[in-house]
Amino acid sequence: MAREIPATITVLAVLVVVFSRYFAVGAALDLTRVTDRWLMLTYAASVFVGVINLTRLHLDRLRRGKDTRSYDLVLLFVMYGYMALGFAQTNAGVTFRWVYNAVLVPLDSTMYSLLAFYIASASFRAFRVRSFEAALMMVAAALVMIGSVPLGDALSPAFPAARAWLMRVAQTAGFRGIQIGAGLGGLATAFRIFLGIERAHLRA
Amino acid sequence: MKNRWIYVLLVLAIILPLARPLGLPVNPTRETEDLFRMVEGLPAGSVVYLAMDFDAGAIPEILPQAEAVFTHALLKDLKVILHGLSDQGVLIARDSLHPIAWSLGKAYGTDFINLGFKPGGGIVLRGMTADLWKTMGGVDIDGTQLAKFPLMQRLKRLDRSTVALIVDFNSGGSAMAYRNYVSEPTGIPLALGSCAVNFNVQMPFYRSGQYKAILNGLRGAAEYERLLGRPGKATSAMDAQSTSHALIIGLIVLGNVAYLLGGRRTDKPKR
């Protein structure tokens, strides 16, 4: 039953969407409104599942006395503390907004900006002209980088022009191929799931 | 070369131009000009929907874009709807965009409104094309009834007759949801404010006409500021981006010279 029920729900959901999208009667009945509502409820419920899982995982690690206890405590304190603050003040509360702006925003920005340092280090060590293809990629990357900033405009109009051509023509052509391939792959997987051939998500 | 020297050079390449700007001109690209022209061409009173679908990590790139477009829309006497499929984007908008509106003498609920965040992605957008009020639970970001706001009286759902333009400021995959669930079915023109790292992903859809314009990261914001004639945060940060890009290109060249002179041995990082 653990496999049959999810498989049946999958098939029914696919049939509802296909019937609503491709048949006039289905469109008139607007059955996707029902599946939409269920999907939103599932999204909301998944938040609770995530909170419960996180709590269980970190409580378990605390009970076993692992050396990450301080991190486990911080996570649980922050998760439930901020949740409680949100319930008490709503997201318009002064303290709630202060914590968000003074803690989460700088932390998030810092994590993102650290990428610049990794890229700088990697550019010195990893970008090597080992082959013709590697050289081609390096030249293209350098042209896009210099053509994307005002320095490129100031040095020569050829840099922004080369960057524009690379972005609008060369990479667009390659990316379209990848996207069409991924789309067809997604369609094939959807058919396999619908027909019951692909059952990995049911742990079968 | 030790990593710490590379990091020191990068910090200097960022800080020095911020302290003493080089004043390099930012020439607008076609992708940015398209958005500026669209906003400029809208008649006063038209509704522009700004989707704040980014998180705090993308603030340096995306927020200057949103500020420039929001300012432009209000200066043109357009009405602005703020909404987000990201929980963080609408909170950032409340703290950063609302003060801009007040400084221009605009009133909340009449000239602009923030509808807040709803989880569900594309499903929420589909709902908004059928019944915006019901999908948003009938309230704005602060839980105030939508019925109290004059702007919302003319906006019962997202369609071509009520919304003139959607600009999705995104740091993830929300653009696809707006394209598939709103722009394509309703015909509302869709433009993007994108992180530079996502710009190449969006480009095929700009070329096909599905996105009418794209702002490309910090540069897109600086270009828009220049077109608007109001240099801001993005313009002042572009010099730092120029020097840091030049440094990285210099490091690539230096690394390859060392690689070729050193018998093609790779350099292991030293900490």
Side-chain angles (χ1 to χ4, degrees):
Chain A
M1 285 301 277
R3 287 172 194 166
E4 282 78 6
I5 291 173
T8 309
I9 292 171
T10 305
V11 170
L12 281 175
V14 171
L15 285 175
V16 165
V17 173
V18 169
F19 188 63
S20 305
R21 289 273 174 172
Y22 297 103
F23 297 93
V25 180
L29 289 171
D30 200 13
L31 290 172
T32 47
R33 189 178 289 185
V34 181
T35 48
D36 284 358
R37 202 173 300 150
W38 275 100
L39 193 59
M40 282 182 76
L41 287 169
T42 312
Y43 276 135
S46 65
V47 174
F48 288 102
V49 175
V51 170
I52 292 165
N53 264 342
L54 265 179
T55 308
R56 280 180 57 184
L57 174 78
H58 289 277
L59 282 179
D60 187 49
R61 279 163 54 158
L62 276 172
R63 205 169 39 242
R64 290 184 189 188
K66 295 214 170 190
D67 53 2
T68 55
R69 269 177 299 184
S70 49
Y71 300 120
D72 299 324
L73 276 174
V74 168
L75 185 136
L76 290 172
F77 175 74
V78 169
M79 185 168 75
Y80 282 102
Y82 202 52
M83 204 187 293
L85 193 62
F87 281 129
Q89 293 195 334
T90 75
N91 66 18
V94 176
T95 317
F96 185 90
R97 287 167 73 172
W98 181 84
V99 171
Y100 180 82
N101 288 321
V103 180
L104 189 66
V105 170
L107 280 178
D108 214 350
S109 300
T110 304
M111 288 299 293
Y112 197 55
S113 29
L114 282 177
L115 279 176
F117 293 90
Y118 285 111
I119 290 168
S121 176
S123 66
F124 181 66
R125 303 187 197 293
F127 248 145
R128 296 284 188 262
V129 191
R130 291 194 177 88
S131 61
F132 172 72
E133 290 83 0
L136 200 64
M137 195 173 79
M138 196 183 79
V139 170
L143 282 174
V144 170
M145 283 180 71
I146 200 71
S148 299
V149 290
L151 186 63
D153 298 23
L155 288 174
S156 164
F159 286 122
R163 174 223 166 244
W165 183 84
L166 282 167
M167 295 300 287
R168 289 176 192 150
V169 181
Q171 82 88 26
T172 295
F175 207 81
R176 273 192 184 144
I178 293 169
Q179 284 178 318
I180 291 169
L184 290 174
L187 191 65
T189 308
F191 269 117
R192 285 173 63 83
I193 292 171
F194 176 58
L195 297 173
I197 301 167
E198 177 65 58
R199 286 182 288 180
H201 65 295
L202 303 174
R203 294 187 180 174
Chain B
M1 185 187 271
K2 287 188 176 179
N3 273 345
R4 74 180 69 159
W5 292 114
I6 295 175
Y7 298 160
V8 168
L9 285 173
L10 187 61
V11 168
L12 290 174
I14 293 167
I15 289 178
L16 290 178
L18 287 175
R20 296 196 67 173
L22 306 171
L24 294 169
V26 182
N27 297 326
T29 53
R30 193 194 307 161
E31 293 86 0
T32 304
E33 285 174 337
D34 286 347
L35 180 56
F36 185 85
R37 271 200 298 268
M38 286 180 81
V39 176
E40 192 68 19
L42 291 174
S46 303
V47 174
V48 177
Y49 178 105
L50 304 186
M52 308 297 289
D53 297 331
F54 58 97
D55 53 22
I59 283 178
E61 277 195 293
I62 307 277
L63 186 58
Q65 297 176 357
E67 288 176 345
V69 176
F70 184 67
T71 304
H72 188 197
L74 293 182
L75 288 172
K76 287 283 302 173
D77 284 330
L78 305 177
K79 308 296 180 188
V80 181
I81 308 289
L82 300 166
H83 171 250
L85 296 178
S86 146
D87 56 328
Q88 298 190 29
V90 286
L91 297 177
I92 296 164
R94 184 170 59 188
D95 288 341
S96 305
L97 302 189
H98 293 199
I100 292 176
W102 292 321
S103 72
L104 294 171
K106 302 295 179 180
Y108 186 82
T110 305
D111 299 305
F112 75 103
I113 192 166
N114 189 334
L115 295 179
F117 155 74
K118 270 278 178 206
I123 303 304
V124 171
L125 298 180
R126 269 171 51 84
M128 290 171 86
T129 59
D131 189 338
L132 189 150
W133 284 44
K134 195 174 169 186
T135 307
M136 297 312 298
V139 293
D140 76 343
I141 187 171
D142 293 320
T144 311
Q145 293 293 319
L146 294 179
K148 292 183 178 172
F149 301 117
L151 175 55
M152 292 309 294
Q153 305 310 316
R154 50 190 277 211
L155 200 85
K156 301 293 184 188
R157 63 175 186 273
L158 290 187
D159 65 26
R160 190 74 180 88
S161 64
T162 53
V163 176
L165 172 67
I166 294 173
V167 187
D168 181 26
F169 298 99
N170 73 90
S171 56
S174 60
M176 192 174 75
Y178 277 96
R179 190 182 70 226
N180 292 349
Y181 296 114
V182 184
S183 179
E184 294 289 342
T186 64
I188 303 172
L190 174 63
L192 302 186
S194 171
C195 282
V197 74
N198 284 338
F199 183 66
N200 65 323
V201 180
Q202 320 290 11
M203 183 52 87
F205 301 99
Y206 169 74
R207 297 280 287 160
S208 65
Q210 287 163 290
Y211 300 149
K212 304 301 178 194
I214 313 178
L215 298 183
N216 175 18
L218 190 68
R219 172 159 187 147
E223 290 172 3
Y224 206 95
E225 285 175 359
R226 179 172 174 188
L227 289 167
L228 194 56
R230 289 182 162 225
K233 280 185 261 181
T235 306
S236 58
M238 278 314 289
D239 284 342
Q241 204 168 68
S242 282
T243 49
S244 54
H245 278 210
L247 173 69
I248 289 174
I249 291 169
L251 286 170
I252 293 172
V253 173
L254 194 66
N256 276 286
V257 170
Y259 173 68
L260 294 171
L261 293 178
R264 297 181 173 247
R265 285 195 312 269
T266 48
D267 180 23
K268 297 274 188 253
K270 299 173 186 123
R271 298 182 188 281

